[in-house]
Amino acid sequence: MTKNGQNIYMIGISGMGMCPLAIYLAQSGCNVTGMDDNMQPGVADILKRNKVKIDCSKQIPEACDCIIYSSAIDLTSKIFVHAKERGIPFIRRGDYLAQIANNKKLIAVVGSHGKTTTTAMLVHALNASKFNFSFFLGALFCNPKIFPARHSPSDWIVAEVDESDGSIDSFCPEITLVINFDWDHPSHYTSVEDLEKTFYNLSTRTRRLVLIPENCPYLQKLVRNGLPCDFRTYGLDGDYGGTFHFNSQGNTKLSTYGLLPRIECDIPNKGLFNAHNGLAALSVVHFLLNNLIEEPFEGFSGVKRRQELLYESQNFMVMMDYAHHPAEIEALLNYVCSRSNRPCVIVFQPHRYSRTQAYYKDFVQVLNKADRVILLPVYAASEPWLEFGTSQMIADNFDGPSGKLKLIDYERQQLFKTLPSSGAQETMNLLFVGAGDIELLALEYKKYLGWADWWQSFLNKIDVGTKVAENEPLASKTTMRLGGSARFYIEPVSLDDLIRAVKGAYTVECPIFILGRGSNLIVPDEGFEGLVIRLNHSHWKEIRDLGGGRIWVGAGARLKEICGYACKSGLAGFEFLEGIPGSLGGSLRMNAGAMGGWLFDVIESIKCITLDGHIKEFFKEDLNLGYRFCKNLENSFAIGAILKSSEIQHQEVIRQKLNLFATKRKSTQPREPSAGCVFKNPEGDYAGRLIEASGLKGFSVGAAEVSSIHCNFIINKGGATSNDVVELIRTIQDRVHKTSGVFLEPEVLFLGKNWDKG
Ligand SMILES: Cc1cc2nc3c(=O)[nH]c(=O)nc-3n(C[C@H](O)[C@H](O)[C@H](O)COP(=O)(O)OP(=O)(O)OC[C@H]3O[C@@H](n4cnc5c(N)ncnc54)[C@H](O)[C@@H]3O)c2cc1C
């Protein structure tokens, strides 16, 4: 089996079966490297802390003795061809786990629902009883300090054994703890009898004891027919007896009897099903140790995605749960509804087409128990699409009141629009339910609520004069005059308020965008889910003479004002900025330029606020600058700068130069709303020339049009949308690429988005 120093490569390492196995192997002295197309940051962190190397290059490492792969991985992929060529054996995760477990004394936790929570409770109670053992858990503990697996030299090992992919058939446990039985995984077990046989066969391979719940009809049937092994029951009338008492906060006390010594202990997880899970875990503990401590679950942190409380205010609770079978959803709803009579809203992402096809009627029935249902598309989990296994099937058969169920796309913005934007005033229990990637939406929503709370407390602290707004329209604050609103908007009156806003938003991970004059910007139609800061108060527009041809300019000042001030003061060298309609801050970020010069030609130093709210000064020589960028300002915001004139000249000379540049602009640029040059000029050429040569002069999408005066300008003829502009930009890029082989890179920015991703 596993040998110290063995080199193991794991494919799909981010999954909740693979990650614990990787940790176990690394702790046992193997060199583990893993890859995953969808590496979750939290998992990556835990793996690294266990010295597991992550290498997502899809290259099998030089030194590799064995490949372990998740059952979600496609065996026809190239990597397995390479493995075969190199003669490297590869094995499914479940089968590898069975090999490890069969060399030890395995306590297998099996059943259709609640394996992970029960295993976690068992691990906790055994730890608390000072028992030495290895374990594997199929999820992360809520406490990030506890890893989901442990290697120990002890003979004993605790693992949840998954029946979904059939690898359960390879296990020979010492003790099997069955927590319940229900038909699931219809893609693997085509009938309930198939699954029954699997559980039956597992008990025949169990060496010492099978523990079963006394109230499970299927398991009772097995007992009546004669179980071919030693078994005991647990439950109200079980050999290991227990009764449960629930208080009004939903907390549970367990009183034990029968083969168990009489104790009264707290069950940390909520709901009747978890009370049963707790009793099941304690039955194993007592069978092994012949002893129970007073509070075996004290300090239990819980398991992620199992009744995980994401948010709680006086009348509003948000919970995430892994339930994905109708029975699990029913148990969850029963618990939540019994806990309070607030309306219950469920956001449900069905898991696998095969399960949805098999149980859509049960889903309809159980979802109808909630007060409102938001249904997301099925999470396929690498299954092929099935016509009768989609969420539409549930929606079409839903027989609750009309409007109660809404089927929406898996799309953050669409979902959040249907949910409360703040927890403060709401009365509701909101559940994010499913085993797919709904977790990501739930965690984002948690952040989203955190922003609303932060915003409310921020409003209580700001100085008089600071302008604040929610859902502030941005179109009128840009020269393109289109796009949606900012969720939070502030025009600070002081540095203190700016720091407060930046620090606060940073703490709750609310995205911040600093807006200048909006003259190089496309605002998406759907707006910006974050904080927009605009240095529009006179505080940020100061222009002050520092002597010696140097001036201090606040980041909110317009380039036009700088030119005017410089002209009056006889300071030459700024004239090329005439007619660029930006603020100093935005122009620093863009390193704006014209007539052969760019802004940083006249900059001595800039003063910034960092993303976490600290003030920093950069000198020109420390900056990473280039054509239309200043890298340092991608991660900090300018609050002002010192500008230096090239020479002192007579006002009139400067004015003539300004007039000349202004006239030139007027004749070469359109007057309609625009965002200036859309594309950067490619090396040695002009984007405008290439666009004109491609035949797109005057071409339009909706109300967005390629200007006939200057083809590198897109104008808004009135009522254009950001979608029009994006489509036009893509069309230009395609056409120019086809006609000239040049790929034009946008110069304009797309607020909150990346042009690559659209
Ligand atoms: C008619 C027209 C003509 C133009 N001509 C030219 C030209 O000749 N040369 C040229 O270079 N550009 C030109 N532009 C484009 C544009 O005016 C410049 O890029 C300008 O510098 C942008 O400044 P802004 O304040 O409008 O920035 P915005 O468009 O508001 O923002 C641009 C970027 O700067 C960031 N930003 C804003 N304020 C700050 C701050 N305080 N600190 C850090 N980052 C900040 C924003 O977050 C954003 O990333 C033209 C635009 C138009 C509409």
Side-chain angles (χ1 to χ4, degrees):
M1 241 313 33
T2 58
K3 283 185 235 106
N4 210 345
Q6 200 176 14
N7 299 301
I8 294 182
Y9 182 53
M10 299 184 69
I11 305 176
I13 198 165
S14 189
M16 273 305 115
M18 296 287 278
C19 158
L21 182 56
I23 291 172
Y24 176 92
L25 292 171
Q27 288 183 1
S28 72
C30 297
N31 302 315
V32 186
T33 305
M35 65 81 62
D36 203 299
D37 283 341
N38 191 13
M39 196 70 221
Q40 300 301 317
V43 177
D45 176 56
I46 285 187
L47 289 171
K48 281 184 197 152
R49 279 156 60 204
N50 279 280
K51 304 201 169 39
V52 173
K53 210 171 135 200
I54 294 164
D55 173 0
C56 293
S57 64
K58 299 196 179 172
Q59 303 287 330
I60 305 172
E62 231 5 51
C64 179
D65 303 311
C66 171
I67 295 177
I68 304 173
Y69 63 95
S70 136
S71 13
I73 301 292
D74 178 7
L75 268 178
T76 59
S77 67
K78 264 200 207 144
I79 209 153
F80 294 103
V81 178
H82 292 157
K84 273 189 198 148
E85 283 165 4
R86 286 180 50 185
I88 303 169
F90 44 93
I91 178 166
R92 209 161 43 145
R93 176 205 72 94
D95 297 323
Y96 197 91
L97 176 62
Q99 286 186 18
I100 295 175
N102 292 344
N103 281 316
K104 296 210 170 216
K105 293 179 178 166
L106 169 67
I107 303 167
V109 180
V110 302
S112 306
H113 319 298
K115 286 186 284 292
T116 304
T117 310
T118 310
T119 308
M121 290 168 103
L122 176 58
V123 165
H124 185 92
L126 286 174
N127 279 339
S129 310
K130 310 276 182 256
F131 185 66
N132 191 6
F133 62 107
S134 303
F135 73 85
F136 293 91
L137 185 75
L140 301 182
F141 283 100
C142 289
N143 179 347
K145 288 188 184 145
I146 312 176
F147 298 133
R150 178 175 64 210
H151 172 265
S152 141
S154 151
D155 275 351
W156 287 96
I157 188 162
V158 173
E160 56 176 295
V161 173
D162 177 27
E163 73 282 16
S164 67
D165 62 1
S167 54
I168 188 171
D169 294 332
S170 315
F171 287 84
C172 301
E174 192 76 5
I175 299 171
T176 296
L177 171 61
V178 189
I179 46 177
N180 44 47
F181 177 89
D182 218 331
W183 181 37
D184 196 4
H185 312 293
S187 59
H188 193 87
Y189 303 98
T190 46
S191 69
V192 70
E193 288 77 23
D194 264 5
L195 188 59
E196 281 181 9
K197 213 186 283 165
T198 298
F199 276 64
Y200 178 83
N201 288 342
L202 182 71
S203 27
T204 64
R205 295 194 304 276
T206 301
R207 296 171 190 144
R208 233 158 113 186
L209 181 76
V210 176
L211 271 154
I212 54 178
E214 54 84 21
N215 61 352
C216 169
Y218 157 74
L219 296 163
Q220 281 167 0
K221 189 173 105 190
L222 273 189
V223 171
R224 274 198 307 277
N225 294 344
L227 256 184
C229 58
D230 272 354
F231 74 92
R232 295 259 190 286
T233 60
Y234 61 89
L236 192 63
D237 293 322
D239 303 321
Y240 292 93
T243 50
F244 313 113
H245 317 277
F246 301 95
N247 70 12
S248 52
Q249 281 86 48
N251 296 329
T252 314
K253 272 239 178 277
L254 164 67
S255 311
T256 57
Y257 47 83
L259 291 177
L260 292 173
R262 284 187 175 269
I263 63 163
E264 275 217 348
C265 68
D266 289 322
I267 298 282
N269 295 35
K270 317 283 186 191
L272 183 61
F273 53 106
N274 275 320
H276 274 285
N277 294 341
L279 176 61
L282 292 189
S283 305
V284 176
V285 174
H286 189 264
F287 177 77
L288 272 178
L289 306 179
N290 203 20
N291 185 30
L292 276 191
I293 59 169
E294 285 283 295
E295 287 290 352
F297 300 121
E298 193 173 3
F300 179 67
S301 75
V303 180
K304 283 206 178 278
R305 302 187 70 178
R306 308 309 190 273
Q307 291 186 351
E308 190 179 343
L309 194 59
L310 299 181
Y311 183 93
E312 192 160 35
S313 63
Q314 204 176 0
N315 293 311
F316 185 50
M317 184 270 290
V318 184
M319 186 180 265
M320 160 160 70
D321 197 89
Y322 201 66
H324 50 284
H325 185 282
E328 293 164 356
I329 299 174
E330 182 161 28
L332 179 72
L333 284 174
N334 284 346
Y335 152 64
V336 173
C337 296
S338 69
R339 194 182 159 202
S340 83
N341 50 11
R342 297 173 196 157
C344 181
V345 177
I346 183 166
V347 183
F348 176 52
Q349 180 190 45
H351 185 253
R352 294 183 182 273
Y353 296 115
S354 55
R355 186 182 283 116
T356 311
Q357 179 169 288
Y359 299 126
Y360 71 90
K361 284 189 187 144
D362 305 272
F363 281 127
V364 162
Q365 216 181 352
V366 72
L367 290 173
N368 211 351
K369 294 189 176 190
D371 296 284
R372 192 151 73 85
V373 182
I374 297 161
L375 189 59
L376 303 176
V378 168
Y379 181 81
S382 73
E383 269 190 357
W385 181 81
L386 290 176
E387 187 182 352
F388 300 111
T390 65
S391 295
Q392 192 65 50
M393 202 61 190
I394 301 176
D396 288 348
N397 287 279
F398 193 74
D399 49 5
S402 87
K404 179 167 167 178
L405 180 142
K406 197 168 174 195
L407 175 58
I408 65 167
D409 286 342
Y410 182 98
E411 211 267 314
R412 178 185 183 279
Q413 228 143 14
Q414 209 191 334
L415 173 63
F416 290 6
K417 258 188 214 147
T418 64
L419 300 177
S421 57
S422 144
Q425 309 292 329
E426 214 52 52
T427 299
M428 179 190 292
N429 289 325
L430 175 60
L431 307 174
F432 283 82
V433 176
D437 57 0
I438 188 172
E439 177 189 21
L440 303 176
L441 286 178
L443 293 176
E444 280 213 41
Y445 182 64
K446 174 186 175 174
K447 264 194 218 163
Y448 179 84
L449 289 175
W451 303 347
D453 287 354
W454 156 71
W455 180 249
Q456 282 315 313
S457 70
F458 169 73
L459 294 184
N460 293 329
K461 294 179 198 143
I462 50 174
D463 294 334
V464 179
T466 285
K467 182 179 167 188
V468 287
E470 273 178 70
N471 301 316
E472 173 76 0
L474 295 179
S476 60
K477 296 178 178 61
T478 69
T479 53
M480 195 71 194
R481 312 232 145 231
L482 55 80
S485 315
R487 175 150 181 227
F488 306 113
Y489 179 83
I490 161 174
E491 289 180 8
V493 71
S494 62
L495 182 60
D496 279 352
D497 269 1
L498 176 64
I499 293 177
R500 245 191 292 277
V502 171
K503 273 193 174 162
Y506 176 81
T507 313
V508 294
E509 295 179 50
C510 176
I512 305 177
F513 184 85
I514 185 147
L515 177 65
R517 307 292 305 174
S519 63
N520 203 43
L521 197 64
I522 308 296
V523 176
D525 298 327
E526 65 272 20
F528 179 65
E529 272 305 333
L531 170 68
V532 168
I533 301 175
R534 195 162 179 238
L535 304 181
N536 199 35
H537 189 271
S538 53
H539 178 83
W540 307 103
K541 295 181 177 175
E542 184 194 14
I543 304 180
R544 185 167 21 106
D545 194 351
L546 300 176
R550 296 156 74 239
I551 49 174
W552 162 262
V553 183
R558 297 172 68 176
L559 297 188
K560 191 182 176 54
E561 288 157 356
I562 301 174
C563 290
Y565 181 94
C567 178
K568 265 196 224 141
S569 315
L571 300 173
F574 304 111
E575 300 83 327
F576 67 97
L577 298 173
E578 170 63 29
I580 303 179
S583 64
L584 176 68
S587 304
L588 287 167
R589 160 73 176 77
M590 300 309 302
N591 193 5
M595 317 295 165
W598 67 32
L599 182 58
F600 275 93
D601 293 342
V602 294
I603 296 295
E604 186 177 294
S605 64
I606 54 177
K607 208 171 191 179
C608 300
I609 178 166
T610 58
L611 287 185
D612 55 354
H614 293 97
I615 302 298
K616 205 170 167 179
E617 191 168 3
F618 290 104
F619 289 89
K620 185 173 157 185
E621 49 278 17
D622 305 327
L623 294 166
N624 179 353
L625 300 170
Y627 173 49
R628 299 292 177 266
F629 74 85
C630 169
K631 271 269 164 219
N632 311 64
L633 290 178
E634 288 176 15
N635 293 313
S636 56
F637 310 128
I639 53 177
I642 296 177
L643 278 64
K644 201 163 184 255
S645 104
S646 54
E647 57 181 316
I648 305 294
Q649 264 182 358
H650 196 277
Q651 271 190 33
E652 214 28 60
V653 180
I654 299 173
R655 191 176 312 284
Q656 274 176 15
K657 214 167 169 187
L658 289 174
N659 289 343
L660 184 75
F661 287 161
T663 314
K664 195 168 171 199
R665 264 182 195 276
K666 272 189 194 134
S667 60
T668 54
Q669 292 182 357
R671 284 161 185 252
E672 292 90 343
S674 77
C677 285
V678 175
F679 298 101
K680 292 181 181 173
N681 286 325
E683 187 91 42
D685 210 335
Y686 293 96
R689 190 197 72 76
L690 291 167
I691 298 168
E692 185 163 0
S694 78
L696 286 175
K697 187 174 185 170
F699 182 83
S700 58
V701 173
E705 185 176 287
V706 176
S707 162
S708 302
I709 295 176
H710 190 320
C711 285
N712 199 11
F713 279 61
I714 290 180
I715 55 169
N716 179 357
K717 290 195 297 174
T721 64
S722 76
N723 283 341
D724 293 342
V725 176
V726 171
E727 202 183 318
L728 188 51
I729 285 179
R730 303 266 185 249
T731 309
I732 296 170
Q733 284 176 318
D734 278 358
R735 180 77 73 89
V736 169
H737 190 250
K738 272 192 196 120
T739 52
S740 65
V742 175
F743 183 78
L744 292 179
E745 194 192 328
E747 175 179 323
V748 287
L749 302 174
F750 197 9
L751 173 48
K753 297 200 181 201
N754 195 326
W755 283 115
D756 302 340
K757 292 173 192 151

